[in-house]
Amino acid sequence: MKNIAVIGAGTMGNGIAHTFAQKGFHVNLIDINEHSLQNGLATITKNLDRMITKEVITESDKSATLENINTYVELSEGVKNIDLVVEAATENIDLKLKIFKQLDETCAEHTILATNTSSISITEIAAETQRADKVIGMHFMNPVPIMKLVEVIRGYNTSDAVSQTIMSLSETIGKTPVEVNDYPGFVANRILMPMLNESIETLYNGVAGVYEIDTVMKLGMAHPMGPLQLADFIGLDVCLSILNVMYDGFKNPKYAPCPLLVNMVRAGKLGVKSGEGFYDYSESRKAEKIAAQFSIS
């Protein structure tokens, strides 16, 4: 397995492409937007340069990594002769179902189809294909080149062989895979999102302010960053989407998103990517300071 296709050139997609390419895999990075592809390549290049500065890799390593990446705007062209597709598009169930239906019709019979979804049912996605045994979840953590964890999520029909292949492949690219079962939110977000939501509820109820809540969790619980800052970094729209998936899946009110979160997303305050969330990122220095905490090291 040496030929990988990654769908989506955003934060997660370019990070996944970077990680595979740096480990010697041939990667086709696919996005319907040429501008997004160029931005994705620019991000990969910048992160590789940062690694060179920190003497983690050499210039030749950077060149080899970039040479391993090709870009495509046409999905059908980008998935030819591919062993594994990792879908990293927007966390939208309708979009993912459409993509997997097209992948199933286009990819070779042996191709494994993986999704980087953080909460959506692998079984539901697999049902759109005629190869449910070859559909699996690979939930990478952000930033992908740094974070070691990959949640490997088996759908109801995922075969043992495919699961074992993805577990081994994850280790090959320097990750620590953990196999989990297909329930809303899996493990990472089933635990993380209620904590973030409760932090937002704490703010909403006037118990404490943004800085105070984050400081308590950082200094009192040894978290590297506060939950409200983390929510900003993830994207408040992404947090809302995951909570809605969990609420719909479990029908349990403890997963219902806080009204404050809902209103902030409606108002376009999505966190770092929009320039404002629980914190103000409109000043370039503030944004750079936040981003530096997650730089490639």
Side-chain angles (χ1 to χ4, degrees):
M1 184 175 288
K2 294 295 291 182
N3 299 309
I4 312 295
V6 178
I7 299 177
T11 301
M12 297 304 295
N14 70 60
I16 294 167
H18 173 166
T19 299
F20 275 106
Q22 192 174 333
K23 292 296 183 178
F25 290 83
H26 302 294
V27 179
N28 290 349
L29 182 59
I30 306 166
D31 199 295
I32 59 173
N33 188 313
E34 178 65 33
H35 182 66
S36 294
L37 285 171
Q38 295 310 311
N39 282 344
L41 284 177
T43 297
I44 293 170
T45 302
K46 181 172 67 175
N47 286 335
L48 289 168
D49 286 337
R50 188 176 289 117
M51 295 172 79
I52 290 172
T53 300
K54 295 184 177 182
E55 300 184 346
V56 176
I57 64 171
T58 64
E59 283 285 355
S60 61
D61 293 328
K62 171 188 170 182
S63 297
T65 297
L66 292 174
E67 286 173 6
N68 282 334
I69 302 174
N70 294 304
T71 61
Y72 293 85
V73 293
E74 291 292 336
L75 185 145
S76 58
E77 290 296 316
V79 298
K80 286 182 178 179
N81 304 314
I82 290 296
D83 301 309
L84 168 69
V85 178
V86 182
E87 171 272 319
T90 303
E91 192 75 348
N92 178 288
I93 181 62
D94 294 330
L95 176 61
K96 290 184 186 294
L97 295 180
K98 179 180 178 181
I99 289 172
F100 271 78
K101 183 176 177 60
Q102 186 176 356
L103 288 173
D104 186 49
E105 295 169 349
T106 307
C107 292
E109 185 177 342
H110 77 278
T111 305
I112 296 173
L113 307 181
T115 174
N116 182 57
T117 181
S118 55
S119 60
I120 296 170
S121 169
I122 309 303
T123 302
E124 184 175 359
I125 291 173
E128 284 294 306
T129 76
Q130 300 300 312
R131 61 179 86 195
D133 61 316
K134 295 185 179 70
V135 177
I136 195 165
M138 290 185 78
H139 181 206
F140 290 84
M141 305 294 124
N142 185 27
V144 180
I146 295 176
M147 301 294 279
K148 291 295 185 182
L149 176 66
V150 177
E151 273 189 307
V152 177
I153 308 104
R154 295 184 61 148
Y156 189 83
N157 292 305
T158 305
S159 72
D160 290 341
V162 166
S163 181
Q164 290 164 8
T165 296
I166 296 303
M167 293 286 284
S168 297
L169 179 66
S170 299
E171 292 175 348
T172 299
I173 59 174
K175 303 302 182 187
T176 301
V178 177
E179 185 177 287
V180 304
N181 291 320
D182 187 19
Y183 291 94
F186 316 131
V187 172
N189 281 316
R190 184 169 179 173
I191 295 170
L192 174 64
M193 286 301 153
M195 184 193 76
L196 299 187
N197 196 44
E198 190 63 28
S199 301
I200 299 170
E201 285 278 2
T202 302
L203 176 66
Y204 181 59
N205 292 331
V207 178
V210 171
Y211 172 80
E212 289 76 16
I213 291 168
D214 278 357
T215 300
V216 166
M217 296 305 291
K218 285 191 290 185
L219 300 185
M221 309 303 166
H223 290 195
M225 65 189 308
L228 299 176
Q229 186 182 7
L230 177 57
D232 274 355
F233 178 66
I234 293 170
L236 302 190
D237 54 336
V238 175
C239 294
L240 178 60
S241 175
I242 295 170
L243 284 164
N244 280 331
V245 167
M246 293 168 65
Y247 182 56
D248 290 342
F250 291 115
K251 300 296 188 292
N252 188 324
K254 74 178 181 179
Y255 299 116
C258 175
L260 176 58
L261 175 62
V262 174
N263 278 340
M264 290 180 70
V265 172
R266 286 173 177 167
K269 296 183 178 181
L270 309 181
V272 175
K273 61 185 171 185
S274 72
E276 184 178 1
F278 294 106
Y279 292 87
D280 182 3
Y281 306 91
S282 57
E283 297 177 26
S284 60
R285 288 184 179 179
K286 287 183 180 180
E288 288 171 2
K289 184 178 180 181
I290 296 296
Q293 298 182 46
F294 304 98
S295 62
I296 305 302
S297 58

